Amino acid sequence: MRLLAFLSLLALVLQESATASLPRKERKRREEQMPREGDSFEVLPLGNDVLNPDNYGEVIDLSNYEELTDYGDQLPEVKVTSFAPATRISPAKSTTAPRTPSSNPTMTRPTTAGPLLSSQPNHGLPTCLVCVCLGSSVYCDDIDLEDIPPLPRRTAYLYARFNRISRIRAEDFEGLTKLKRIDLSSNLISSIDNDAFRLLHALQDLILPENQLEALPVLPSGIEILDVRQNRLRSSGIQPVAFRAMEKLQFLYLSDNLLDSIPGPLPLSLRSVHLQNNLIETMQRDVFCDPEEHKYTRRQLEDIRLDGNPINLSLFPSAYFCLPRLPIGRFI
């Protein structure tokens, strides 16, 4: 115990002698750093960043939180430029100001006027711009046509229905030797030049219903189907021998017109003739049959319609005795 006390006293003497040997300034600095009596911990120098209830609002100010998160001014500015590669122009040769891309680019619709419409009609380009051309067929339905458009030379089938065509001229089909079918239904056709169809030797179907025709032109002999329903056709508008040379005619549709007699003579190739809803009051004895050939039966002609006319068919039995079936109409 005495030894321990002696060692403590010795250590204290040595420490005092070491302190006394230091310079005065150094001793003063160490005395200031030594903890004073009553202090439980060493105070660290935190400067102005010490948090306490008095300065909490100054260190963290939440009143401008939205401003701190607004990065709108820091977004990079995007400039729209043309995707076309820039061309290098020598300054000595450049005479125009550089073009700047427009902020509101506009598009212009293609028009039909211009070099395309001035092409040769023989190529059919004008028609195929407004119509649909598929192979040898041309479809011009319901596009407000007022005239027959120039057609390609190879045209075999023409459909120009539901338009405003009022007249067919001789030059409309000139040189179109491959035409097989013409369908001009539901137009305003009131006149056809007499030679409009004359040279169309390949024509088989001529479809002209729902127009305003009062007369028929000269027709080619190769026609098989002739449809002129719902017009203003009169008996005086059909030439007396209009159908005699048409040796291939099979279907003749003349209903809903102003006919007062049955046109004839009719070719032997005929299979069906529709004359209903006209003004027919009488018929010739030889209109369907040969009165001298009592044993002859006209088997091909099986469909004759005369209903809707004022004629009484029972008064003309000799006119249809050669037919395999009686005509449809009034018998009393």
Side-chain angles (χ1 to χ4, degrees):
M1 189 70 176
R2 294 179 179 177
L3 179 61
L4 181 60
F6 176 76
L7 293 176
S8 300
L9 181 61
L10 180 61
L12 181 60
V13 172
L14 292 176
Q15 182 176 1
E16 289 294 336
S17 62
T19 305
S21 63
L22 291 174
R24 181 180 298 178
K25 293 184 180 180
E26 184 66 21
R27 288 200 308 268
K28 186 178 181 180
R29 185 181 63 83
R30 288 195 177 189
E31 290 176 358
E32 291 177 355
Q33 292 181 358
M34 291 179 63
R36 297 178 182 178
E37 184 179 358
D39 293 342
S40 60
F41 60 91
E42 183 179 0
V43 180
L44 297 178
L46 298 178
N48 296 330
D49 296 334
V50 178
L51 298 179
N52 54 65
D54 297 332
N55 64 355
Y56 183 81
E58 298 178 359
V59 176
I60 301 178
D61 186 4
L62 300 179
S63 61
N64 58 350
Y65 179 75
E66 295 183 357
E67 297 179 0
L68 295 177
T69 58
D70 186 7
Y71 301 102
D73 296 337
Q74 301 179 13
L75 293 177
E77 182 180 357
V78 180
K79 296 183 179 181
V80 180
T81 58
S82 174
F83 289 101
T87 57
R88 296 183 178 179
I89 303 177
S90 176
K93 298 180 180 180
S94 177
T95 57
T96 59
R99 299 179 58 185
T100 58
S102 175
S103 59
N104 296 319
T106 58
M107 298 180 63
T108 57
R109 295 182 57 186
T111 59
T112 55
L116 291 178
L117 290 181
S118 62
S119 300
Q120 294 295 330
N122 294 343
H123 298 290
L125 187 57
T127 298
C128 294
L129 284 175
V130 295
C131 303
V132 178
C133 299
L134 297 176
S136 59
S137 300
V138 179
Y139 298 88
C140 301
D141 294 339
D142 198 11
I143 56 174
D144 292 332
L145 288 178
E146 296 183 358
D147 299 288
I148 300 294
L151 299 172
R153 295 291 185 179
R154 65 179 183 276
T155 302
Y157 304 92
L158 171 63
Y159 300 88
R161 300 164 292 192
F162 312 106
N163 286 290
R164 303 178 61 84
I165 302 172
S166 59
R167 180 185 177 186
I168 299 178
R169 299 172 175 80
E171 59 270 18
D172 288 340
F173 302 107
E174 184 177 359
L176 302 177
T177 58
K178 297 182 179 181
L179 266 176
K180 295 182 179 180
R181 183 181 180 91
I182 298 176
D183 191 343
L184 300 174
S185 305
S186 302
N187 277 276
L188 304 175
I189 303 173
S190 58
S191 64
I192 302 177
D193 289 0
N194 201 42
D195 295 334
F197 306 123
R198 183 195 295 270
L199 300 179
L200 303 180
H201 301 296
L203 188 62
Q204 299 176 355
D205 304 338
L206 183 57
I207 314 298
L208 301 170
E210 300 182 14
N211 281 285
Q212 302 176 10
L213 289 173
E214 297 182 1
L216 291 179
V218 176
L219 301 173
S221 59
I223 290 182
E224 299 179 4
I225 300 176
L226 178 61
D227 188 351
V228 201
R229 294 173 292 118
Q230 300 182 28
N231 276 269
R232 301 175 181 177
L233 198 59
R234 300 178 179 272
S235 295
S236 58
I238 301 177
Q239 299 180 13
V241 293
F243 306 119
R244 174 180 293 180
M246 300 174 65
E247 299 178 353
K248 296 182 180 181
L249 183 62
Q250 299 184 35
F251 302 94
L252 178 61
Y253 302 127
L254 301 173
S255 60
D256 297 282
N257 279 285
L258 302 175
L259 300 176
D260 56 14
S261 63
I262 299 176
L266 299 174
L268 297 177
S269 59
L270 201 62
R271 298 175 56 185
S272 176
V273 54
H274 288 186
L275 295 164
Q276 67 268 31
N277 302 324
N278 277 284
L279 305 175
I280 301 174
E281 297 181 357
T282 185
M283 67 172 63
Q284 301 295 327
R285 294 179 56 192
D286 60 349
V287 65
F288 298 121
C289 304
D290 185 356
E292 304 298 331
E293 296 289 340
H294 297 283
K295 297 182 180 181
Y296 172 74
T297 302
R298 193 171 182 175
R299 299 187 181 277
Q300 286 185 315
L301 188 55
E302 297 182 348
D303 181 22
I304 299 177
R305 293 193 58 177
L306 288 166
D307 49 309
N309 285 280
I311 187 174
N312 185 353
L313 296 178
S314 62
L315 301 177
F316 308 94
S318 60
Y320 47 83
F321 72 89
C322 67
L323 300 178
R325 298 180 181 178
L326 292 174
I328 298 175
R330 185 171 68 90
F331 282 87
I332 54 175

